[in-house]
Amino acid sequence: MPVRAANRRSGTAQRGSQDMTAIDFAVFVDELATVSGETILPFFRTMLSVDNKGGQRGFDPVTAADRAAETAMRALIRRTFPDHGVVGEEFGPEQAEAEYVWVLDPIDGTKSFIAGMPAWGTLIALTRNGVPVFGMMSQPFIRERFSGDGGGAHYRGPAGKRDLRVRPCESLSEAMLFTTSPLLMNDADRATFGKVEAAVRLSRYGGDCYAYCMLAAGHIDLVVETELKPHDVIPLIPIITGAGGVVTTWDNGPPEAGGRIIAAGDKRVHAAALELLRLHIPEKPAADNDPG
């Protein structure tokens, strides 16, 4: 974390970014995760109503739990860091051009949430000048938290505390691959994904943000997805890279804008999967350069 100061202040009283240390920001992220979890859990495995914000594009559920949790986190950020920006899934951006911007996804994996499955989590990130510098995935039902700052990554939960580290994997033929669901991909991307899936030892579906954390924890080797939004991936980047992994787009670009995303624990697996993905990505239509 690039923020340092001589004096540390605790609690949630109003304070400026210049007064904060890396430890302070980590403490504040914990506060956000706690507030979010306390708001969400009363809704989990209840008969809550579900709205579809996908419209004609398909089923994209949102619940009162999503909105309430993001509202609670935004209020805490505004009260504590009024000069910070906020970008969340459920509401419009606030001060999105600020030096420090919080990126929030209150329930990543809402479809699992409404099905009563615990494969969902709250995603929280802090960016500085557009660069993710801290990220957390909190699963309040299981009481697990995965965090990272790009230089290290950590786990806390019922199993105690430990550092996160990806595992070595020499080739795709030895790799375990996850994606939330190929049905979320368009036909062309699904066919491209199938090239990678055919090359790995084992593929499994589901998990949303949990799959990326399992990669950081050294349990799986590869995650390949499409059509992610920035809030889906930005909080996970510091966790994955902090654990020694790599995350890019399918064409090896920066992942912060979302889209087609590939994350791998071993650079060799990333390179091999990337070769298949880039080889089969449908070409974009050529730009019309005719001035007439």
Side-chain angles (χ1 to χ4, degrees), residues 137-242:
M137 193 284 273
S138 172
Q139 214 304 334
F141 184 72
I142 302 177
R143 296 180 293 112
E144 290 188 319
R145 291 182 182 179
F146 301 80
S147 62
D149 62 4
H154 313 282
Y155 166 87
R156 283 175 294 150
K161 300 180 181 180
R162 66 182 179 89
D163 293 338
L164 296 174
R165 196 68 189 169
V166 297
R167 68 184 181 187
C169 185
E170 291 187 0
S171 67
L172 281 177
S173 63
E174 299 177 358
M176 184 186 299
L177 164 69
F178 260 74
T179 193
T180 298
S181 172
L183 296 178
L184 297 175
M185 303 176 184
N186 62 44
D187 291 344
D189 285 347
R190 191 180 307 135
T192 301
F193 168 80
K195 304 294 184 180
V196 179
E197 186 174 32
V200 300
R201 172 179 289 177
L202 174 66
S203 66
R204 303 293 294 170
Y205 302 156
D208 291 280
C209 58
Y210 235 106
Y212 295 90
C213 292
M214 292 299 96
L215 184 146
H219 299 301
I220 68 176
D221 307 293
L222 189 62
V223 182
V224 178
E225 304 211 85
T226 65
E227 300 186 30
L228 296 189
K229 303 295 191 296
H231 56 256
D232 294 321
V233 67
I234 287 175
L236 297 165
I237 294 170
I239 301 172
I240 295 166
T241 58

